[in-house]
Amino acid sequence: MDPIEIRECTTIEELSDCVRLQRDVFALPELEISPRRHLIVTRQAGGWTLGAFERGEGHRLVGFVHHLVAVRGRNEVVGYSHMMAVDRDYQNKGVGARLKWAQRERAMGEGREFIKWTWDPMQARNAHFNLNRLGVTVNSYAENFYGTDYPTDTDQKIARGSGIDSDRLFANWRLRSPRVLMAAKGEIATNLADPRLKIEIPPDWAAMIKSDPEKARREQLRVRHEFQQAFQSNLVCAGFERGGDRPGYLLYDSQAVGL
């Protein structure tokens, strides 16, 4: 039997567990935690929270993804994925991927074609997951989107006074696109031409923030500028190269990506 069940969080207790999991995983100040009331109002307004639960006694929540109803353009109803958290004991075990694919299925069942969310461009693991495993594309960048950022690793508390901006990339998840259909089968899109540009990021961003915040700021500004220049040239980010000491984003002409 599958030890994990994916289903909607509907009770006060389950939504309270989503708040607890945020505290455990993100280690953010209380001000930055999405409260239970927010999750309840979201559900009343047409959104939902999918949870990953251990089967058996207790049905412990070990992950969740929070989905908002949004509007694109004048009247297209789409999804906005506000956050996802996975218990540290279950990270790198496929729980996050299962939550995202379940989110896609639920959204398509509601007639949606598109989901949007953000991530920190300096996080290589998130970049690989979003671009290579889920098949998102990116063509927009936000400076200091949330205000001064907080590390999500409790070992980085020393860096909280470092004043790192919360720059973000915006994921465009076109739920029925060829890229996403390929990713849904467990395949990474490999049929793209050679990239026009590679934007490299530090191989260990967390260590750099902790050891040399000034260098981290300079690297963030470089990456910000390179993305802004690329997007002004109508390039689209559609891949990420992992490994070694030169991980980086791969950018293409929009025609090559099929947009």
Side-chain angles (χ1 to χ4, degrees):
M1 177 185 293
D2 187 344
I4 297 295
E5 177 187 12
I6 307 294
R7 59 176 172 80
E8 185 176 356
C9 298
T10 59
T11 68
I12 296 294
E13 292 74 20
E14 289 169 351
L15 295 173
S16 295
D17 281 342
C18 292
V19 177
R20 170 192 57 78
L21 200 56
Q22 290 179 70
R23 294 194 182 102
D24 293 346
V25 173
F26 298 141
L28 291 170
E30 197 68 19
L31 177 66
E32 303 292 348
I33 297 293
S34 290
R36 184 181 67 193
R37 183 167 298 196
H38 173 216
L39 305 181
I40 292 170
V41 170
T42 293
R43 187 163 186 257
Q44 185 65 27
W48 27 270
T49 302
L50 296 181
F53 295 86
E54 288 181 332
R55 293 188 189 272
E57 186 176 356
H59 297 278
R60 184 168 74 99
L61 180 78
V62 297
F64 74 89
V65 62
H66 181 54
H67 180 97
L68 303 166
V69 175
V71 177
R72 183 170 63 161
R74 292 180 61 86
N75 55 15
E76 181 189 3
V77 178
V78 299
Y80 190 98
S81 191
H82 174 48
M83 65 180 146
M84 183 171 73
V86 176
D87 187 285
R88 294 180 186 274
D89 291 339
Y90 279 86
Q91 291 178 7
N92 300 314
K93 295 182 179 180
V95 173
R98 289 187 59 184
L99 283 166
K100 293 303 290 185
W101 291 117
Q103 181 185 20
R104 173 179 177 262
E105 290 299 316
R106 170 77 177 256
M108 290 194 303
E110 295 176 348
R112 313 297 176 234
E113 301 288 334
F114 181 85
I115 299 176
K116 180 179 183 178
W117 67 88
T118 70
W119 83 88
D120 182 348
M122 309 302 275
Q123 300 290 343
R125 184 171 68 174
N126 290 352
H128 168 71
F129 178 72
N130 290 325
L131 289 159
N132 297 340
R133 294 192 61 193
L134 297 181
V136 310
T137 58
V138 182
N139 62 358
S140 57
Y141 188 104
E143 297 182 24
N144 202 23
F145 187 58
Y146 293 111
T148 302
D149 218 348
Y150 300 90
T152 56
D153 186 330
T154 53
D155 293 336
Q156 298 176 41
K157 289 180 181 178
I158 190 173
R160 288 188 175 168
S162 59
I164 300 296
D165 285 349
S166 59
D167 286 16
R168 292 294 186 267
L169 291 170
F170 286 92
N172 300 315
W173 207 19
R174 296 172 173 84
L175 304 182
R176 301 181 191 273
S177 69
R179 279 177 55 80
V180 175
L181 292 175
M182 183 179 294
K185 296 187 291 186
E187 302 174 12
I188 295 177
T190 58
N191 59 343
L192 296 176
D194 292 336
R196 283 274 307 277
L197 179 69
K198 179 180 178 181
I199 298 178
E200 296 181 0
I201 62 173
D204 193 338
W205 177 240
M208 182 179 289
I209 291 177
K210 184 185 293 187
S211 65
D212 195 341
E214 285 300 325
K215 183 177 181 181
R217 288 192 198 95
R218 291 195 300 270
E219 281 293 282
Q220 184 185 57
L221 289 174
R222 174 188 60 80
V223 170
R224 176 192 292 178
H225 176 73
E226 291 182 14
F227 266 114
Q228 289 173 336
Q229 291 292 107
F231 292 150
Q232 286 174 9
S233 299
N234 295 318
L235 297 182
V236 176
C237 183
F240 188 80
E241 191 173 275
R242 303 176 75 193
D245 59 355
R246 300 179 62 186
Y249 292 89
L250 305 178
L251 290 97
Y252 303 85
D253 291 318
S254 59
Q255 296 89 341
V257 182
L259 300 180

